[in-house]
Amino acid sequence: MVVLYVRSSVCEKYPIRPASMTYDDVTHLSAKIKPKQQKVELEMAIDTLNPNYCRSKGEQIALNVDGTCTDETNTYSSKLMDKQTFCSSQAASNVSRYAAAVYRKGELHLTPLHGILQLRPSFTYLDKADAKHREREAANEGGDSSQDEAEDDVKQITVRFSRPETEQARQRRVQSYEFLQKRQAEEHWVHLHYYGLKDSRSEHERQYLFSQAHGLAENTELIKSPSEYLMMLMPPSVEEENDKPVAPSNVLSMAQLRTLPLADQIKILMKNVKVMPFANLMSLLGSGTDSTAVLRCIQQVAMLVQGNWVVKSDVLYPKDTSSPHSGVPAEVLCRGRDFVMWKFTQGRWVVRKEVAAVTKLCPEDVKDFLEHMSVARINKGWEFMLPYDEDFVKKHPDIVQRQHMLWMGIQAKLEKVYSLLKEHLAPKKQETQSGHPLLVSGEQRVNMAKARVKQNYGQLEKEFQRQKAELKSNDASAKMDVSNIRIKEEPVSDEEPMDTSAYEGMNNGVVNGLHAEDSMDSLNGRLPGGCSDRVAQELKAFVSSTFKKQFVLTLSELKRLFNLHLASLPPGHTLFSGISDKMLQDMVLDTGCKQIFVPFPPQTAASPDELKVYALWEAGDTYDQHRQVLLEIFSRNYRVRRNVIQNQLSQECGEDVNKQELDRVLKDCCVSYGGMWYLKGTVQS
């Protein structure tokens, strides 16, 4: 006997009173199946004369579904809900451990199962009733005049041609939910014939549930002990890793953390803590961790601020993400947070309004930046949350120097993006009367840092003295004939020192990687000892590779790239001997580049370094002549239109320049702004 139990919560949808309905209430049953989807649908005719049937509810449902009209498409032709549909769903994903059992005459017959389906009532007729209701409402609201209807019929049609579908687009379409639903709907139903419980065909099929072999000799697999047979029937389950409970995203398990590689451990810790002294990081990583390896990994995910490590912005805001408050892309958030971090390298205090005015970000994003690394103080602003870590700065001067060079590069980028004024660049002096024990002025911190770095500079000094002794012993053979590198020695008065005014707010006594008092000769255009050949070779390699990638650079941009290059070099590298502006410019000219005298407008606000423009004259490819003509054009014009450039190139090269060639040359040397073309680095916003 089949019994269908109806919950009281669905009585409004189901025409049966809250009681059980037995198989006797069902007068007809039909079934259909979709084999590929393993989907079964049963349709049962309900006995409307049975006392368990609620006739008023059945009439109301039929009226809502089909309306008052009589049609062949009606769901209920008798004006009563006289049938109910049941749809199947997968009851279990893995049924290999289940079997159907029949016990007869002391024997247990098992039949393996390949699928288990659960039948549930289908209420699709309610969707049809809702659709009918919406159609009637639309018909009632559409009672406009015939003139309005005629006007509505005249509509402009836009014809669009579909683009050829790419392979990636096709794969996304095939994997979409809409496509899968369409494929499932396209599969045709296979109608089945229902046989009753006492039918002869049902009895015949039921005999397949019993084993036809009665002798144990034929069942060789069952010649085993009971325990072995149970092991075969129910093998022990293997606990999978994905069955383990997953901890919340804001909970960090130290036991699981220490099973990860060192780089991942440091990244996870810094991402959760945001700001941490190096000593605390070593204690969290456990005893026996190599501090050198930790230093190498921490620089990949964090920046040094006041001797403490602050997680990098791109770690917190990965690419292709956005702000949860304003929807600003991750690139803009990283730039704004870098500005806040850089401000804390200048002093211990930051004003929130100043950050918002410079970065143009919403107050919620700015508050998030500040809460990552500082604490709000009433009537003062935001103070960096950790004290200055003197021990780390004293023990690792090479790391401090490298981080300082990285901050110089970040500062140059921020100056260009935010157009920072001098009051933004200069560190604010702290109030001397403040009673806070951790409050130290910017100038005092710089002097203290210079003294500590100078005291612990023995390793580099020892290496320098060793190189100097070797060069003195080989003085006769130290003179090298470098035909393609011209290194000039100029008097101090004629030398053009490298401009470091943009970085004075961050200067801790380091100039191009060395302290000012330790490398005065190199800043005057002379390299210490006789190591000019090695320095010239390294400098030439940097200049040559840079211009082969960029083609056109201003002196300001070249110096910025050079500082970033120095920051990536290991301590004690030959380029740390000091490179002046004049040496850098001479090397640019010696590597086949030329200075382009761009006629800047008289009212330009560009710095002297931004007015000096250098370009690679010959790269050795087929576009050399085109680039040379283009550079000649910009030596006479500050900005040029595209059609003027194309006409000039066609005249000078003696043939028509196609769009591909013109785009390639413009991409190498120029940028477009406001419909005009400028040389790279010369646009004045």
Side-chain angles (χ1 to χ4, degrees):
M1 181 177 62
V2 178
V3 181
L4 301 178
Y5 293 97
V6 183
R7 294 179 301 176
S8 58
S9 60
V10 298
C11 289
E12 293 298 323
K13 303 178 182 179
Y14 204 77
I16 302 175
R17 296 187 181 94
S20 63
M21 182 183 69
T22 66
Y23 180 78
D24 297 333
D25 300 321
V26 181
T27 60
H28 174 72
L29 185 146
S30 63
K32 52 186 178 179
I33 184 173
K34 288 186 177 182
K36 292 183 179 179
Q37 304 175 32
Q38 294 185 358
K39 186 176 182 181
V40 177
E41 190 173 284
L42 297 181
E43 185 178 280
M44 293 184 179
I46 303 175
D47 184 6
T48 58
L49 301 178
N50 192 281
N52 286 332
Y53 184 82
C54 182
R55 190 175 185 84
S56 61
K57 180 63 69 175
E59 292 176 350
Q60 183 64 42
I61 291 178
L63 180 63
N64 294 339
V65 174
D66 298 328
T68 57
C69 61
T70 303
D71 193 358
E72 295 180 356
T73 60
N74 286 358
T75 304
Y76 304 111
S77 58
S78 63
K79 300 299 182 180
L80 282 174
M81 182 182 176
D82 54 0
K83 58 185 176 181
Q84 175 64 46
T85 303
F86 295 86
C87 290
S88 67
S89 61
Q90 291 285 346
S93 58
N94 183 14
V95 297
S96 60
R97 298 169 60 86
Y98 296 91
V102 179
Y103 186 78
R104 186 181 66 175
K105 297 180 181 180
E107 297 177 347
L108 182 64
H109 300 261
L110 299 178
T111 302
L113 299 180
H114 299 284
I116 301 177
L117 301 179
Q118 183 180 13
L119 292 174
R120 296 179 179 178
S122 174
F123 300 103
T124 55
Y125 58 88
L126 295 177
D127 298 334
K128 188 175 180 180
D130 293 339
K132 290 273 188 182
H133 180 68
R134 286 192 295 267
E135 289 177 1
R136 287 193 294 267
E137 288 185 348
N140 295 333
E141 294 177 358
D144 298 334
S145 64
S146 60
Q147 182 179 358
D148 295 337
E149 293 178 357
E151 292 178 356
D152 292 341
D153 292 339
V154 180
K155 295 183 179 179
Q156 182 180 359
I157 300 176
T158 303
V159 179
R160 294 182 180 180
F161 297 94
S162 61
R163 298 179 180 178
E165 187 178 32
T166 62
E167 181 63 23
Q168 293 181 347
R170 190 190 69 81
Q171 291 180 358
R172 288 195 297 268
R173 180 176 59 82
V174 170
Q175 296 175 359
S176 65
Y177 175 78
E178 181 180 358
F179 181 82
L180 295 177
Q181 290 293 102
K182 183 179 179 182
R183 287 285 300 273
Q184 291 180 2
E186 289 176 351
E187 185 179 358
H188 297 290
W189 287 101
V190 178
H191 291 271
L192 306 177
H193 183 72
Y194 173 73
Y195 295 94
L197 179 65
K198 300 180 180 180
D199 192 274
S200 60
R201 181 64 182 269
S202 299
E203 182 65 27
H204 176 73
E205 291 293 331
R206 196 157 45 246
Q207 293 300 320
Y208 287 110
L209 296 175
F210 300 97
S211 174
Q212 303 301 322
H214 299 284
L216 293 178
E218 298 179 3
N219 299 332
T220 54
E221 294 185 2
L222 301 181
I223 310 277
K224 295 180 180 296
S225 63
S227 60
E228 290 176 344
Y229 175 69
L230 289 176
M231 185 66 67
M232 292 174 57
L233 184 63
M234 296 289 294
S237 61
V238 179
E239 184 180 2
E240 299 180 358
E241 294 183 0
N242 54 9
D243 294 336
K244 296 180 180 179
V246 180
S249 57
N250 59 341
V251 177
L252 189 64
S253 171
M254 295 301 297
Q256 295 182 0
L257 178 69
R258 291 178 179 175
T259 62
L260 300 175
L262 180 61
D264 294 339
Q265 294 185 44
I266 296 175
K267 183 176 181 180
I268 293 174
L269 286 172
M270 292 305 304
K271 191 173 181 180
N272 282 269
V273 182
K274 308 294 190 304
V275 184
M276 192 186 310
F278 185 73
N280 291 12
L281 178 62
M282 292 298 298
S283 63
L284 290 174
L285 295 175
S287 59
T289 306
D290 185 12
S291 61
T292 304
V294 175
L295 284 173
R296 185 165 52 250
C297 295
I298 188 66
Q299 296 182 72
Q300 305 297 323
V301 297
M303 296 290 293
L304 192 65
V305 178
Q306 299 192 22
N308 300 282
W309 291 100
V310 182
V311 63
K312 287 184 176 180
S313 302
D314 54 3
V315 176
L316 294 180
Y317 304 106
K319 191 177 180 181
D320 299 330
T321 59
S322 59
S323 167
H325 305 294
S326 60
V328 174
E331 182 181 359
V332 180
L333 293 176
C334 292
R335 200 159 51 224
R337 189 175 180 274
D338 287 344
F339 176 75
V340 175
M341 294 171 62
W342 171 76
K343 289 292 291 182
F344 278 118
T345 64
Q346 306 295 289
R348 292 196 59 82
W349 297 89
V350 168
V351 180
R352 178 176 173 179
K353 291 183 179 179
E354 178 185 350
V355 175
V358 173
T359 60
K360 303 295 189 300
L361 293 172
C362 71
E364 290 80 6
D365 290 333
V366 175
K367 185 178 179 181
D368 285 349
F369 299 158
L370 293 170
E371 288 178 344
H372 289 169
M373 61 194 82
S374 57
V375 179
R377 305 292 185 190
I378 300 176
N379 297 330
K380 287 187 177 182
W382 292 77
E383 183 187 15
F384 193 72
M385 62 172 56
L386 295 179
Y388 187 84
D389 193 347
E390 298 183 6
D391 294 337
F392 181 83
V393 175
K394 185 176 180 180
K395 293 179 182 179
H396 305 281
D398 53 336
I399 302 295
V400 176
Q401 176 185 348
R402 183 177 300 179
Q403 289 290 312
H404 173 68
M405 300 300 294
L406 290 175
W407 277 119
M408 290 173 65
I410 293 176
Q411 177 183 347
K413 182 179 178 181
L414 294 175
E415 289 178 20
K416 188 174 182 180
V417 173
Y418 292 131
S419 301
L420 299 180
L421 303 176
K422 291 185 178 180
E423 53 265 25
H424 295 144
L425 298 176
K428 295 185 178 181
K429 295 183 179 180
Q430 305 294 337
E431 299 178 359
T432 56
Q433 64 269 24
S434 176
H436 198 281
L438 302 177
L439 189 59
V440 184
S441 67
E443 184 178 358
Q444 291 176 347
R445 289 195 300 104
V446 169
N447 294 333
M448 292 168 59
K450 288 170 63 177
R452 287 192 297 270
V453 172
K454 186 175 180 181
Q455 293 174 1
N456 295 274
Y457 209 68
Q459 182 178 359
L460 291 178
E461 179 67 21
K462 183 178 179 180
E463 179 66 19
F464 171 73
Q465 294 295 339
R466 184 183 64 80
Q467 294 180 1
K468 188 174 180 181
E470 291 179 357
L471 292 170
K472 284 184 178 181
S473 62
N474 300 322
D475 189 28
S477 59
K479 297 179 180 180
M480 303 291 293
D481 184 12
V482 184
S483 58
N484 59 342
I485 301 177
R486 178 164 55 89
I487 302 174
K488 295 183 178 182
E489 291 193 3
E490 301 290 344
V492 176
S493 60
D494 297 333
E495 182 63 39
E496 181 182 359
M498 179 166 284
D499 182 13
T500 58
S501 60
Y503 312 116
E504 288 177 358
M506 300 176 60
N507 187 17
N508 62 353
V510 179
V511 181
N512 281 345
L514 286 182
H515 293 273
E517 58 268 27
D518 293 340
S519 58
M520 291 304 296
D521 289 341
S522 61
L523 293 180
N524 292 328
R526 295 189 296 272
L527 299 173
C531 59
S532 60
D533 54 344
R534 288 183 295 173
V535 176
Q537 292 174 5
E538 293 286 344
L539 184 59
K540 181 179 180 180
F542 163 74
V543 172
S544 178
S545 62
T546 301
F547 273 94
K548 285 182 179 179
K549 297 176 183 177
Q550 305 288 343
F551 288 98
V552 177
L553 288 171
T554 62
L555 180 58
S556 175
E557 179 66 11
L558 181 61
K559 288 163 60 176
R560 187 186 72 84
L561 295 175
F562 183 65
N563 285 330
L564 292 177
H565 178 65
L566 287 179
S568 65
L569 297 176
H573 196 273
T574 55
L575 284 181
F576 285 126
S577 56
I579 304 297
S580 67
D581 276 7
K582 184 171 180 59
M583 293 175 62
L584 189 60
Q585 294 177 74
D586 289 343
M587 185 57 68
V588 170
L589 298 176
D590 287 344
T591 52
C593 299
K594 287 189 177 183
Q595 184 174 358
I596 310 301
F597 296 95
V598 179
F600 285 87
Q603 68 275 14
T604 181
S607 63
D609 286 347
E610 292 176 342
L611 296 177
K612 295 180 180 180
V613 183
Y614 295 92
L616 182 62
W617 195 252
E618 293 183 356
D621 56 13
T622 57
Y623 297 97
D624 279 345
Q625 184 181 3
H626 299 76
R627 279 192 290 265
Q628 292 170 9
V629 174
L630 181 65
L631 295 174
E632 291 291 345
I633 295 174
F634 280 101
S635 65
R636 300 186 298 270
N637 303 275
Y638 173 59
R639 56 185 181 180
V640 189
R641 292 190 179 276
R642 180 187 176 97
N643 58 348
V644 176
I645 296 175
Q646 187 171 7
N647 294 336
Q648 191 70 21
L649 286 175
S650 299
Q651 294 176 5
E652 296 292 338
C653 298
E655 58 182 7
D656 292 338
V657 179
N658 57 37
K659 183 179 182 299
Q660 182 179 2
E661 294 175 342
L662 182 60
D663 290 343
R664 169 65 185 275
V665 175
L666 291 176
K667 180 181 178 182
D668 291 343
C669 304
C670 304
V671 293
S672 176
Y673 182 77
M676 304 294 289
W677 288 88
Y678 303 77
L679 278 184
K680 289 182 178 179
T682 63
V683 180
Q684 303 297 321
S685 57

